[in-house]
Amino acid sequence: MHKPIIIKNLAFDLPHRTCFSGFSTQIQYGEKIGIIGRNGSGKSSLLKIIMGEMDSSAGEISDLSKLNIGYVPQTIESHEDMSGGERFNRALSEA
């Protein structure tokens, strides 16, 4: 049985502003989700918090120790001989 990712009242603050607060959701096994928002709204930070690469300002996320999470960063620098789309597809396949 696969447990969902449960996020409760998550918040992320920068020194000069709050990116998001009170964010709660559940992601069920096998679901495909999209994260949308304006530039600087905290989309990448949210993913890094879920992956354990950053700390949130508040809230909690269920135990993710048994999950494999793939992440493709916004900037893909390697393989300079490839087009942007080719680099993205390669990075996505590797993730």
Side-chain angles (χ1 to χ4, degrees):
M1 168 117 177
H2 299 281
K3 294 182 179 180
I5 297 172
I6 300 172
I7 300 171
K8 292 183 184 177
N9 296 316
L10 202 66
F12 181 66
D13 297 307
L14 295 172
H16 58 285
R17 70 186 176 107
T18 298
C19 288
F20 54 85
S21 65
F23 177 69
S24 297
T25 192
Q26 287 190 24
I27 304 168
Q28 301 297 325
Y29 176 78
E31 281 186 325
K32 293 174 177 63
I33 64 165
I35 300 172
I36 59 172
R38 293 178 183 241
N39 288 344
S41 63
K43 300 178 301 290
S44 295
S45 296
L46 173 62
L47 291 172
K48 289 176 184 177
I49 292 167
I50 291 171
M51 292 186 313
E53 292 181 5
M54 289 177 63
D55 292 328
S56 65
S57 302
E60 58 186 71
I61 301 176
S62 60
D63 179 26
L64 303 177
S65 62
K66 295 182 182 179
L67 292 180
N68 289 324
I69 299 174
Y71 174 72
V72 178
Q74 292 181 30
T75 308
I76 305 166
E77 300 295 334
S78 61
H79 309 291
E80 297 298 327
D81 58 323
M82 300 172 128
S83 72
E86 290 170 328
R87 288 194 303 258
F88 176 77
N89 284 334
R90 181 179 181 120
L92 187 60
S93 295
E94 290 172 359

